[in-house]
Every structure is written in structure tokens, then in C-alpha cells.
Amino acid sequence: MHPMLNTAIKAARRGAAIINRASFDLDRVKVTEKNPNDFVTEVDQAAEQAIIEVLKTAYPDHAILAEESGASANLHDENDNVWIIDPLDGTTNFIHGFPQYCVSIALQQRGQITQAVVYDPTRNDLFTATKGAGAYLNEKRIRVTKRDKIADALIGTGFPYRTTDNLDEYMKMFKIMTQSCAGLRRPGSAALDLAYVACGRLDGFFEKGLQPWDIAAGALLVTEAGGIVGTFKGEADYLYKGDVMAGNPKVFSQQVNLLSEFAR
């Protein structure tokens, strides 16, 4: 296993330990609303600090891009190594005790995601990937599904929650996909949704308005498991655009055909 991946796993477990402890007494967790329906807890912040401490101890010169603390001072100093971190993807689920959330950590090197960890502490599911070396769930190799018809596919998605401005557009997409696939699911953690595509629990996924920390680790899992990740037009520049589609190759292409009109 790559030493940088080992460090990311250690960091993810350190953050998850904080999340797990807090999950036993949610009534005591302090919740702040960053924006309408966009929550952060002291648990997010503590987990992120613990993750960054592990990463910076091992790699003090690496830059950080994290959901809660933002970009480190050296992010734009032509740094070849950037850790992209979501300490608790699925915060709303977490504060309601709904067991669908995870820690997401990715390493971007010279513009490419090369290491990925998505850790679900509720199930002890550890998803890992190194570029060119495959994707794994609890050290077992994973692959995307082989379903070739979207009519047979189970698709994951996410709906707007910070604002209802794009709700009408989403309802149109929801209708198209509901009529086209076997089932549509909205679990509430994009990083886990992508991990589920990678291991075959979902055949495809689409969502708009995501951030790099929502996408980076899960996207590498999908591609290393034989899937495709792209924009709604099927293009590769999704990481900072935030409109993301993923799936096994045949389901991905059918999703693009159905939803490309909603590309931005």
C-alpha cells in the first residue's frame, strides 16, 4: 500500500473516532447554520483538525483544501501536493442520527487525484484507491457493475438543500431519471454515493452544485473500479465545476444522453 494512502487512512480513522464518540450523545452536539439548511457542528471542526494534524505531521509542506477551514496559506504557492478533505460528509444526516455519512480524504498531485479514502464509521467500511492500482473496500478489490441498461439501474443523486433556486430544474431531472431507471436514491452523502458506485451498490450517480471535497476521493474510487466520472456533458473537468455524473461506462453514457441538456 502506498505510504501516502496509509497516512490518509490513519487520518480518516482519527477523524472518525471523534465522530463516533459524538454520535452516542447527539443532544450535546453544538450545531451552527452556515447558510440556510447548510449545517456545521463542532464535530466537523474537531474531526477536520485531527485529520489535518495527522497529514501535516507526516507531510508538513503539503497544502490543504478542507471544507471547514478552507485553503491553507500555501495552497497557491505552486504546491504539487494538496490534501482535499471533507471531515464529515453528510452532516445533516449525522445530526439526525441517520447513519449515512463519512470521512473523505483525497490527495491531488500536479492536478491529478492520486490517493483516496472514504471511510464510513457507522459500518466500518473503508474505501481506498491509489491511481493505477485499483479500488478497494476493506482491502478487497471492487468493481463497478456490469449492467448495460439504465432501465435496470439503481441511481444515486442529491437534491438542492442550501437554496431552492434550482428546485424546478431538479424536479425535471428527477422525473426523467425516475421514468428511465429502476430506482432513484438520495442518501445524503455524495462521497459515499460515489463509493457505492465504485463497489456496485449503485450503478450510477448524478448531482449538481458539489464542492471538490465532496467529489475528489469518491471520483478516484469510481475510475479505479472501472467506472467513469464526468460533467453532465461527459467531460473530465468536473472537480471544480461541481456538476458530476458517475457510473459504469454504459450507464454513464446513458445518463449523459438523458441529462446533458441540464449541463452548465
Side-chain angles (χ1 to χ4, degrees):
M1 185 177 288
H2 196 287
M4 289 184 178
L5 184 61
N6 264 326
T7 301
I9 292 169
K10 180 181 177 182
R13 290 192 184 279
R14 186 76 59 83
I18 293 169
I19 295 166
N20 273 336
R21 286 196 297 271
S23 70
F24 292 113
D25 198 357
L26 289 171
D27 289 342
R28 298 184 63 182
V29 174
K30 294 179 181 178
V31 181
T32 304
E33 194 172 32
K34 293 189 287 189
N35 294 296
N37 297 321
D38 188 7
F39 301 100
V40 62
T41 73
E42 59 188 346
V43 178
D44 296 69
Q45 295 164 338
E48 183 170 292
Q49 289 172 7
I51 290 165
I52 291 173
E53 181 180 346
V54 172
L55 297 175
K56 294 295 280 186
T57 298
Y59 304 106
D61 296 331
H62 287 194
I64 301 289
L65 177 62
E67 179 174 16
E68 306 308 336
S69 58
S72 60
N74 63 338
L75 179 63
H76 301 295
D77 295 343
E78 298 183 359
N79 201 306
D80 287 339
N81 300 284
V82 181
W83 291 99
I84 304 176
I85 304 163
D86 192 335
L88 179 49
D89 187 46
T91 299
T92 301
N93 286 348
F94 170 75
I95 62 181
H96 287 86
F98 188 82
Q100 187 77 5
Y101 48 83
C102 68
V103 178
S104 176
I105 302 173
L107 177 62
Q108 185 179 44
Q109 296 183 291
R110 298 180 181 179
Q112 289 194 328
I113 304 300
T114 60
Q115 309 293 336
V117 175
V118 172
Y119 181 52
D120 175 355
T122 70
R123 298 173 182 83
N124 198 29
D125 277 349
L126 179 67
F127 298 88
T128 59
T130 295
K131 187 172 178 60
Y136 295 81
L137 168 55
N138 298 328
E139 300 184 359
K140 293 183 178 180
R141 186 74 180 262
I142 54 176
R143 302 288 296 179
V144 296
T145 63
K146 296 181 179 179
R147 289 188 182 88
D148 57 2
K149 296 179 181 177
I150 200 164
D152 300 325
L154 185 64
I155 305 294
T157 189
F159 297 153
Y161 60 93
R162 296 185 184 94
T163 173
T164 59
D165 289 350
N166 299 318
L167 189 58
D168 287 344
E169 178 184 60
Y170 245 88
M171 293 310 294
K172 291 177 184 176
M173 290 191 289
F174 181 87
K175 182 177 180 180
I176 290 169
M177 294 303 290
T178 300
Q179 292 173 333
S180 302
C181 71
L184 196 59
R185 300 290 182 265
R186 198 273 195 190
S189 170
L192 265 184
D193 291 342
L194 288 165
Y196 281 14
V197 172
C199 73
R201 295 176 185 173
L202 292 170
D203 300 292
F205 170 77
F206 69 95
E207 187 169 352
K208 306 195 76 163
L210 292 171
Q211 298 294 330
W213 46 79
D214 300 317
I215 304 166
L220 183 63
L221 290 171
V222 172
T223 56
E224 286 299 317
I228 301 176
V229 184
T231 67
F232 276 49
K233 289 184 179 179
E235 297 167 345
D237 57 339
Y238 56 84
L239 187 60
Y240 292 94
K241 283 190 174 180
D243 292 356
V244 176
M245 193 171 284
N248 74 45
K250 291 187 177 179
V251 168
F252 177 84
S253 65
Q254 291 169 71
Q255 286 184 119
V256 170
N257 289 338
L258 288 166
L259 299 180
S260 60
E261 66 179 284
F262 299 100
R264 286 185 289 196

Coordinates of all heavy atoms in Angstrom, one line a residue, residues 149-151 153 155 172-181 206 232 245 250-263:
K149 N -28.1 -1.5 -19.2 CA -29.3 -0.8 -19.5 C -29.7 0.1 -18.3 O -29.8 -0.4 -17.2 CB -30.5 -1.7 -19.8 CG -30.3 -2.5 -21.1 CD -31.4 -3.4 -21.4 CE -31.2 -4.3 -22.6 NZ -32.3 -5.2 -22.9
I150 N -29.9 1.4 -18.5 CA -30.3 2.2 -17.4 C -31.7 1.9 -16.8 O -32.0 2.1 -15.7 CB -30.2 3.7 -17.8 CG1 -30.1 4.6 -16.6 CG2 -31.4 4.1 -18.7 CD1 -29.7 6.0 -16.9
A151 N -32.5 1.2 -17.6 CA -33.8 0.7 -17.1 C -33.7 -0.2 -16.0 O -34.6 -0.4 -15.2 CB -34.6 0.1 -18.3
A153 N -31.0 0.0 -13.8 CA -30.0 0.5 -13.0 C -30.6 1.2 -11.7 O -31.7 1.8 -11.8 CB -29.2 1.5 -13.7
I155 N -29.8 4.3 -9.3 CA -29.1 5.5 -9.5 C -29.2 6.4 -8.2 O -30.2 6.5 -7.6 CB -29.6 6.4 -10.7 CG1 -29.7 5.5 -12.0 CG2 -28.8 7.7 -10.8 CD1 -28.3 5.2 -12.5
K172 N -37.3 18.4 -12.8 CA -37.3 17.9 -14.2 C -36.4 16.7 -14.4 O -36.7 15.7 -15.0 CB -36.9 19.0 -15.2 CG -38.0 20.1 -15.3 CD -37.5 21.2 -16.2 CE -38.5 22.4 -16.3 NZ -38.0 23.5 -17.1
M173 N -35.2 16.8 -13.8 CA -34.2 15.7 -13.8 C -34.7 14.5 -13.1 O -34.6 13.4 -13.6 CB -32.9 16.2 -13.3 CG -32.1 17.2 -14.1 SD -30.4 17.4 -13.6 CE -30.7 18.3 -12.1
F174 N -35.3 14.8 -11.9 CA -35.9 13.7 -11.1 C -37.0 12.9 -11.9 O -37.0 11.7 -11.9 CB -36.5 14.2 -9.9 CG -37.1 13.2 -9.0 CD1 -36.4 12.6 -8.0 CD2 -38.5 12.9 -9.0 CE1 -36.9 11.6 -7.2 CE2 -39.1 12.0 -8.2 CZ -38.3 11.3 -7.3
K175 N -37.8 13.6 -12.7 CA -38.8 13.0 -13.4 C -38.2 12.1 -14.6 O -38.6 11.0 -14.8 CB -39.8 14.0 -14.0 CG -40.9 13.4 -14.8 CD -41.9 14.5 -15.3 CE -43.0 13.9 -16.1 NZ -44.0 14.9 -16.6
I176 N -37.3 12.7 -15.3 CA -36.6 12.0 -16.4 C -36.0 10.7 -15.9 O -36.2 9.6 -16.5 CB -35.6 12.9 -17.1 CG1 -36.3 14.0 -17.8 CG2 -34.7 12.1 -18.0 CD1 -35.3 15.1 -18.3
M177 N -35.2 10.8 -14.8 CA -34.5 9.6 -14.3 C -35.4 8.6 -13.7 O -35.2 7.4 -13.8 CB -33.4 10.1 -13.3 CG -32.3 10.9 -13.9 SD -31.5 10.1 -15.3 CE -30.6 8.8 -14.4
T178 N -36.4 9.1 -13.0 CA -37.4 8.1 -12.4 C -38.1 7.3 -13.5 O -38.4 6.1 -13.3 CB -38.4 8.9 -11.5 OG1 -37.8 9.6 -10.5 CG2 -39.4 7.9 -10.9
Q179 N -38.4 8.0 -14.6 CA -39.1 7.2 -15.7 C -38.1 6.3 -16.4 O -38.5 5.5 -17.2 CB -39.7 8.3 -16.6 CG -40.9 9.0 -16.0 CD -41.4 10.1 -16.9 OE1 -40.6 10.7 -17.7 NE2 -42.7 10.4 -16.8
S180 N -36.8 6.6 -16.3 CA -35.8 5.9 -17.1 C -35.1 4.7 -16.4 O -34.6 3.8 -17.0 CB -34.7 6.9 -17.6 OG -35.4 7.9 -18.3
C181 N -35.0 4.8 -15.0 CA -34.2 3.8 -14.3 C -35.0 2.9 -13.4 O -36.2 3.2 -13.2 CB -33.1 4.5 -13.5 SG -33.6 5.4 -12.1
F206 N -25.7 11.1 -10.1 CA -25.6 12.5 -10.6 C -25.9 13.5 -9.6 O -26.8 13.2 -8.7 CB -26.4 12.6 -11.9 CG -27.9 12.6 -11.6 CD1 -28.6 13.8 -11.4 CD2 -28.6 11.4 -11.5 CE1 -30.0 13.8 -11.1 CE2 -30.0 11.4 -11.2 CZ -30.7 12.6 -11.0
F232 N -22.0 16.8 -16.7 CA -23.3 16.4 -17.4 C -23.1 16.3 -18.9 O -24.0 15.7 -19.5 CB -24.4 17.4 -17.0 CG -25.0 17.1 -15.7 CD1 -24.3 16.9 -14.5 CD2 -26.4 17.0 -15.5 CE1 -24.8 16.6 -13.3 CE2 -27.0 16.7 -14.3 CZ -26.2 16.5 -13.2
M245 N -21.4 13.5 -12.7 CA -22.1 12.3 -13.1 C -21.1 11.1 -13.1 O -19.9 11.3 -13.4 CB -22.6 12.4 -14.5 CG -23.6 11.4 -15.0 SD -24.4 11.9 -16.5 CE -25.5 13.2 -16.0
K250 N -21.5 2.0 -19.5 CA -22.7 2.1 -20.3 C -23.8 2.9 -19.6 O -24.5 3.7 -20.3 CB -23.2 0.7 -20.6 CG -22.2 -0.1 -21.5 CD -22.8 -1.4 -21.9 CE -21.8 -2.1 -23.0 NZ -22.3 -3.4 -23.4
V251 N -23.9 2.8 -18.3 CA -24.9 3.6 -17.6 C -24.5 5.1 -17.6 O -25.4 5.9 -17.8 CB -25.0 3.1 -16.1 CG1 -25.8 4.1 -15.3 CG2 -25.8 1.7 -16.1
F252 N -23.2 5.3 -17.5 CA -22.7 6.7 -17.6 C -23.1 7.4 -18.9 O -23.7 8.5 -18.9 CB -21.2 6.8 -17.4 CG -20.6 8.1 -17.5 CD1 -20.6 9.0 -16.4 CD2 -20.1 8.6 -18.8 CE1 -20.0 10.3 -16.6 CE2 -19.6 9.9 -18.9 CZ -19.5 10.7 -17.8
S253 N -22.9 6.7 -20.0 CA -23.2 7.3 -21.3 C -24.7 7.5 -21.4 O -25.2 8.5 -22.0 CB -22.7 6.4 -22.4 OG -23.3 5.2 -22.4
Q254 N -25.5 6.6 -20.9 CA -27.0 6.8 -21.0 C -27.5 7.9 -20.1 O -28.4 8.7 -20.4 CB -27.7 5.5 -20.6 CG -27.5 4.4 -21.7 CD -27.9 3.0 -21.2 OE1 -29.1 2.8 -21.1 NE2 -27.0 2.1 -20.9
Q255 N -26.8 8.1 -18.9 CA -27.1 9.3 -18.1 C -26.8 10.6 -18.8 O -27.6 11.5 -18.8 CB -26.4 9.2 -16.8 CG -26.8 8.2 -15.8 CD -26.1 8.3 -14.5 OE1 -26.6 8.5 -13.4 NE2 -24.7 8.1 -14.5
V256 N -25.7 10.6 -19.5 CA -25.3 11.8 -20.2 C -26.3 12.1 -21.3 O -26.8 13.3 -21.5 CB -23.9 11.7 -20.8 CG1 -23.6 12.8 -21.8 CG2 -22.8 11.6 -19.8
N257 N -26.8 11.1 -22.0 CA -27.8 11.3 -23.0 C -29.1 11.8 -22.5 O -29.7 12.7 -23.1 CB -28.1 10.0 -23.8 CG -26.9 9.5 -24.6 OD1 -26.1 10.3 -25.1 ND2 -26.8 8.2 -24.9
L258 N -29.4 11.4 -21.3 CA -30.7 11.8 -20.7 C -30.6 13.2 -20.1 O -31.6 14.0 -20.1 CB -31.1 10.8 -19.6 CG -31.6 9.5 -20.1 CD1 -31.7 8.5 -18.9 CD2 -33.0 9.6 -20.7
L259 N -29.4 13.6 -19.5 CA -29.4 14.8 -18.7 C -28.4 15.9 -19.3 O -28.2 16.9 -18.6 CB -28.9 14.4 -17.3 CG -29.9 13.5 -16.5 CD1 -29.3 13.2 -15.1 CD2 -31.3 14.1 -16.4
S260 N -27.8 15.7 -20.4 CA -26.9 16.7 -20.9 C -27.5 18.0 -21.1 O -26.8 19.1 -21.1 CB -26.2 16.2 -22.2 OG -27.2 16.0 -23.2
E261 N -28.8 18.1 -21.3 CA -29.5 19.4 -21.5 C -29.4 20.3 -20.3 O -29.6 21.5 -20.4 CB -30.9 19.2 -21.9 CG -31.8 18.6 -20.8 CD -33.2 18.4 -21.2 OE1 -34.0 19.4 -21.3 OE2 -33.6 17.3 -21.6
F262 N -29.1 19.6 -19.1 CA -29.0 20.4 -17.9 C -27.6 20.8 -17.5 O -27.4 21.4 -16.5 CB -29.6 19.5 -16.7 CG -31.0 19.2 -16.9 CD1 -31.4 17.9 -17.4 CD2 -32.1 20.1 -16.7 CE1 -32.7 17.6 -17.6 CE2 -33.4 19.8 -16.8 CZ -33.7 18.5 -17.3
A263 N -26.7 20.6 -18.5 CA -25.3 21.0 -18.2 C -25.2 22.5 -18.2 O -25.9 23.2 -18.9 CB -24.4 20.4 -19.3

